Amino acid sequence: MQTSVIGFPRIGTVRELKFACEKYFRNEIKAEELRQTAETLRKTHWNTQKNAGIDYISSNDFSYYDMLLDTAVLFGIIPKRYRELNLPELDTYFAMARGYQGASGDVRALAMKKWFNTNYHYIVPELEDDTVITLSGSKLWDEYAEAKALGIETKPVVIGAYTLLKLCRYTGKKTADDYLEEVICAYRELIKKCEEYQVAWLQFDEPSLVQDMEKEDLTLFRKLYDGILPSVKQCKVLLQTYFGDVRDVYPELIKMPFGGIGLDFIEGKETCRLIETYGFPEDKLLFAGLINGKNIWKNHYGKTLQTLEALQKKGIQTVLSTSCSLLHVPYTLKHEKKLSPEYLDHFAFAEEKLEELRELKYLSECGAYHSDAAYLNNEKLFAEDRNCRNVEVEKRLSLVKDSDYVRLPARRERQKLQKKVFGLPELPTTTIGSFPQTKDVKANRSTYRKGEISEQEYVEFNRKKIAECVRWQEEIGLDVLVHGEYERNDMVEYFGEALGGFLFTEKAWVQSYGTRCVKPPIIWGDVYREKPITVEWSVYAQSLTKKIMKGMLTGPVTILNWSFPREDISIKESISQIALAIRDEVLDLEKNGIRMIQIDEAALREKLPLRKTDWQKEYLDFAIPAFRLTHSGVKPETQIHTHMCYSEFTDIIPAIDAMDADVITFEASRSDLQILDALREHHFETEAGPGVYDIHSPRVPSVEEIVAAVERMLTKIDREKLWINPDCGLKTRAMPETDASLRNMTEAARRIRKEV
Ligand code: GLN
Ligand code: ZN
């Protein structure tokens, strides 16, 4: 039996790529130095996989920013406004990813969206009516040849034609069908070139196939591959799917001339049933995604071997694979010095997963695996008690009543009351919570963590920062203030650290977008709050101003979704435990005089099941009540805000409204504002602050631009319901652009208020 890896992380074990890119952005290094860093990383990653004995190793899974953007560039999908900047190739690429403001022009970045049900974000390619899709780049072959020169035969990976067309944004009149011919030609060219390079296997990633497919989708898929596949001669095509099962297209798929089909056995609930019902052709390889590419718990060998045996009994030629790219897990346990083996024994990051692939390959071939030490050790791990239950937590959860999920009085009444007690100007201005994590802020935290300064010094510094930022916000003229979140590394890690039941890693970074990484905590056991977490900071900040200070919390759904979840209890149970912990914090903030509390649910949307039929029962039915549980205990005049880092919730508007927050702020500046029409149609009650400028880019929006954005919003949303705020927190930005942008934002608000 052979093994395969769909993709490997690329940012570097100590985030080398991130730092090199950021230096390049700041003009501190030349393109050549960045290229060298990238080359070294690729070499390391290939060798690591080779040394683990992996048979199918990917190339072109490396990216400077994002693999969908790479695919777009490979096919010349570069909107005119970026081409017209006339920048060198690499800079055009980064301009699309991050926006550009400089001597050659001023353009915003392309939109960014969450990659299926992960916390990875991809860049949304734009197809304009005059875009010509044609093979343009050479990255795929350059990297293939680079690996080959190292003595490693790889399977180049590229996003498949169907997923590409599904994820593009169409800015003109044309639709996917209008590009069909061009796309087919471009992929045929790609295959032809692969043949020239004597590529043995080529991997087309088609995750869009795990989503609900309508009849038109099936037709589109068929047309594309009926056009593309006849150009294959020597080279074999692996159609790789992940994040679910391909129930809508499976019967078709197995009839098509692919050399191999990659199926997800972890998230693909129906994968086994599909194979059972329709069989799997003898002449193809089944790449069986049995090693979880998204979570960090060790694989249960007994179960995996059973599945492999069943497949082999059916005569299916099986390649053992990861369930998705390992991009979504950290690199290695090697750097984790603080966690004891009692914990570490249970985990496998990317490198350890390679080891699992190697061990499973060996066990499946050795005949009598039942007596093998590797197998027995693994069995023992799953048999032992992990010591992770907490009776108190479980008891409290069992006592939660239906009425605990309902806040009274009804929102309309609360909103009236709140308008009166807060007396805010119309179109109130606010920010989402964090301010720039400047060098001094990070240094303060890291020296404290290393024990180089005392707790008192640490706290003093943060208090000074808070005081400065309160004064600054007053001067800028914001209406609702925040304390700046200087004490937080990350919105989830910070709460995880303060809650019982979580474990933390030192270097377990996972790429979130571009150069941005997160270090998700691990939920090890039952979750509970040990003591107040944010109360002192918020109370101190409020004491410095007469304006309203928003308390700032992360919601239960987001805490769970941005952690590595347990696999021994349900997601629902974990979320409810976290909800009770956050509820305690909400009530403590209120008790201590905080009158507005924002509970961020930045990640609510991303774990929405990929298939509509699962939305309600498998997610919304417990995620939304969990949010309500956090705030249902507050007084009517306490205002609850929530925030979301995206605006693609058109299809779950009633659920968002049912969270029963008083105000929601969300990211909107990179999207069109169709969401606002949809809110109106659904009689959305929650007041709304669609972000008026993009915070993912250093670009400063002008006053006029913001005025225009707000005016557009005002045509779609009631004046008394609109808030003015940026897209998201400002922690990744630098101070000068933040100051300039926020001043422009408050100035814009003043102008619009005057206009009436
Ligand atoms: N309050 C958080 C912040 O401002 C929200 C972050 C987020 O939505 N990702 O940083
Ligand atoms: Zn956000």
Side-chain angles (χ1 to χ4, degrees), residues 105-131:
D106 182 358
V107 280
R108 284 191 278 175
L110 287 172
M112 204 161 61
K113 275 195 188 164
K114 295 207 173 168
W115 181 240
F116 297 88
N117 52 4
T118 73
N119 180 28
Y120 177 79
H121 304 61
Y122 68 93
I123 301 288
V124 185
E126 268 177 29
L127 280 167
E128 301 172 320
D129 279 350
D130 58 359
T131 304

Coordinates of all heavy atoms in Angstrom, one line a residue, residues 105-131:
G105 N -0.1 53.8 -8.4 CA -1.5 53.9 -8.3 C -2.1 53.5 -6.9 O -1.3 53.5 -6.0
D106 N -3.4 53.3 -6.9 CA -4.1 53.1 -5.6 C -5.2 52.2 -5.9 O -6.3 52.5 -6.4 CB -4.6 54.5 -5.1 CG -5.3 54.4 -3.8 OD1 -5.4 53.3 -3.3 OD2 -5.7 55.4 -3.3
V107 N -5.0 50.9 -5.6 CA -6.1 49.9 -5.8 C -6.3 49.1 -4.5 O -5.4 48.8 -3.8 CB -5.9 48.9 -6.9 CG1 -6.1 49.5 -8.2 CG2 -4.5 48.3 -6.8
R108 N -7.5 48.7 -4.3 CA -7.8 47.8 -3.2 C -7.5 46.4 -3.5 O -7.4 46.0 -4.7 CB -9.3 48.0 -2.8 CG -9.5 49.3 -2.1 CD -10.9 49.3 -1.5 NE -11.8 49.8 -2.5 CZ -13.1 49.8 -2.3 NH1 -13.6 49.4 -1.1 NH2 -14.0 50.2 -3.2
A109 N -7.4 45.6 -2.5 CA -7.1 44.2 -2.6 C -8.4 43.5 -3.2 O -9.5 44.0 -3.0 CB -6.7 43.6 -1.3
L110 N -8.2 42.3 -3.7 CA -9.3 41.4 -4.1 C -10.0 41.0 -2.8 O -9.4 41.0 -1.7 CB -8.8 40.2 -4.8 CG -8.4 40.5 -6.3 CD1 -7.7 39.2 -6.8 CD2 -9.5 40.9 -7.1
A111 N -11.2 40.5 -2.9 CA -11.9 40.0 -1.7 C -11.3 38.8 -1.1 O -10.5 38.1 -1.9 CB -13.4 39.8 -2.0
M112 N -11.5 38.5 0.1 CA -11.0 37.4 0.7 C -12.1 36.6 1.4 O -13.0 37.2 1.9 CB -10.0 37.9 1.8 CG -9.0 36.9 2.2 SD -7.6 37.7 3.1 CE -8.4 38.4 4.5
K113 N -12.1 35.3 1.2 CA -13.2 34.5 1.8 C -12.7 33.3 2.6 O -11.6 32.8 2.2 CB -14.2 34.0 0.8 CG -15.2 35.0 0.4 CD -16.3 34.3 -0.4 CE -17.3 35.3 -1.0 NZ -18.1 34.8 -2.0
K114 N -13.5 32.8 3.5 CA -13.0 31.6 4.2 C -13.1 30.4 3.2 O -14.0 30.2 2.5 CB -13.9 31.4 5.4 CG -13.6 32.5 6.3 CD -13.8 32.3 7.8 CE -13.3 33.5 8.5 NZ -13.6 33.6 9.9
W115 N -12.1 29.6 3.4 CA -11.9 28.4 2.5 C -12.8 27.3 3.1 O -12.5 26.7 4.1 CB -10.4 28.0 2.6 CG -10.0 26.8 1.8 CD1 -9.3 25.7 2.3 CD2 -10.0 26.7 0.4 NE1 -9.0 24.9 1.3 CE2 -9.4 25.4 0.1 CE3 -10.4 27.4 -0.7 CZ2 -9.2 24.9 -1.2 CZ3 -10.3 26.9 -2.0 CH2 -9.7 25.7 -2.2
F116 N -13.9 27.1 2.5 CA -14.9 26.1 2.9 C -15.1 26.1 4.4 O -15.3 27.2 4.9 CB -14.4 24.7 2.4 CG -14.4 24.6 0.9 CD1 -13.3 25.1 0.2 CD2 -15.5 24.3 0.2 CE1 -13.3 25.1 -1.2 CE2 -15.6 24.3 -1.2 CZ -14.5 24.7 -1.9
N117 N -15.0 25.0 5.1 CA -15.3 25.1 6.6 C -14.0 25.2 7.4 O -13.9 24.7 8.5 CB -16.2 23.9 7.0 CG -15.5 22.6 6.6 OD1 -14.4 22.6 6.0 ND2 -16.2 21.5 6.9
T118 N -13.0 25.9 6.9 CA -11.8 26.1 7.7 C -11.6 27.6 8.1 O -12.4 28.4 7.6 CB -10.6 25.7 6.8 OG1 -10.3 26.8 5.9 CG2 -10.8 24.4 6.1
N119 N -10.6 27.8 8.8 CA -10.2 29.2 9.2 C -9.2 29.8 8.2 O -8.5 30.7 8.5 CB -9.8 29.3 10.6 CG -9.4 30.7 11.1 OD1 -9.9 31.6 10.6 ND2 -8.5 30.8 12.0
Y120 N -8.9 29.1 7.1 CA -8.0 29.6 6.1 C -8.8 30.5 5.2 O -10.0 30.2 4.9 CB -7.4 28.4 5.3 CG -6.5 28.9 4.2 CD1 -5.2 29.3 4.5 CD2 -7.0 29.0 2.9 CE1 -4.4 29.8 3.5 CE2 -6.2 29.4 1.9 CZ -4.9 29.9 2.2 OH -4.1 30.4 1.2
H121 N -8.2 31.6 4.7 CA -8.9 32.5 3.8 C -8.3 32.5 2.5 O -7.0 32.5 2.4 CB -8.9 33.9 4.3 CG -9.4 34.1 5.7 ND1 -8.9 33.6 6.8 CD2 -10.4 34.9 6.1 CE1 -9.5 33.9 7.9 NE2 -10.5 34.8 7.5
Y122 N -9.1 32.4 1.4 CA -8.5 32.5 0.1 C -8.8 33.8 -0.6 O -9.8 34.5 -0.1 CB -9.0 31.3 -0.8 CG -10.5 31.4 -1.1 CD1 -10.9 32.0 -2.3 CD2 -11.4 30.8 -0.3 CE1 -12.3 32.0 -2.6 CE2 -12.8 30.9 -0.6 CZ -13.2 31.5 -1.7 OH -14.5 31.5 -2.0
I123 N -8.1 34.2 -1.6 CA -8.3 35.4 -2.3 C -9.3 35.0 -3.4 O -9.1 34.1 -4.1 CB -7.0 35.9 -2.9 CG1 -6.0 36.2 -1.8 CG2 -7.2 37.1 -3.8 CD1 -6.3 37.4 -1.0
V124 N -10.3 35.9 -3.6 CA -11.4 35.6 -4.6 C -11.0 36.1 -5.9 O -10.9 37.4 -6.1 CB -12.7 36.2 -4.1 CG1 -13.8 35.8 -5.1 CG2 -13.1 35.8 -2.7
P125 N -10.7 35.3 -6.9 CA -10.3 35.8 -8.2 C -11.5 36.5 -8.9 O -12.6 36.1 -8.6 CB -9.9 34.5 -9.0 CG -9.8 33.4 -8.0 CD -10.7 33.8 -6.8
E126 N -11.2 37.5 -9.7 CA -12.3 38.2 -10.3 C -12.2 37.9 -11.8 O -11.2 38.1 -12.5 CB -12.2 39.7 -10.1 CG -12.9 40.1 -8.9 CD -12.7 41.6 -8.7 OE1 -12.5 42.4 -9.6 OE2 -12.8 42.0 -7.5
L127 N -13.3 37.5 -12.4 CA -13.4 37.4 -13.8 C -14.2 38.6 -14.4 O -15.3 38.8 -14.1 CB -14.1 36.1 -14.2 CG -13.2 34.8 -14.1 CD1 -14.0 33.6 -14.2 CD2 -12.2 34.8 -15.2
E128 N -13.5 39.4 -15.2 CA -14.1 40.5 -15.9 C -14.6 40.0 -17.3 O -14.0 39.0 -17.8 CB -13.1 41.6 -16.0 CG -12.6 42.1 -14.6 CD -11.5 43.1 -14.7 OE1 -10.6 43.0 -15.6 OE2 -11.4 44.0 -13.9
D129 N -15.5 40.7 -17.8 CA -16.0 40.3 -19.1 C -14.9 40.1 -20.2 O -15.0 39.3 -21.1 CB -17.1 41.2 -19.6 CG -18.4 40.9 -19.0 OD1 -18.5 39.8 -18.3 OD2 -19.4 41.7 -19.1
D130 N -13.9 41.0 -20.1 CA -12.8 40.9 -21.1 C -11.6 40.1 -20.6 O -10.6 40.1 -21.2 CB -12.4 42.2 -21.6 CG -11.9 43.1 -20.5 OD1 -11.9 42.7 -19.3 OD2 -11.5 44.3 -20.7
T131 N -11.7 39.4 -19.5 CA -10.6 38.5 -19.0 C -10.4 37.4 -20.0 O -11.4 36.8 -20.5 CB -10.9 37.9 -17.7 OG1 -11.2 38.9 -16.7 CG2 -9.7 37.1 -17.2

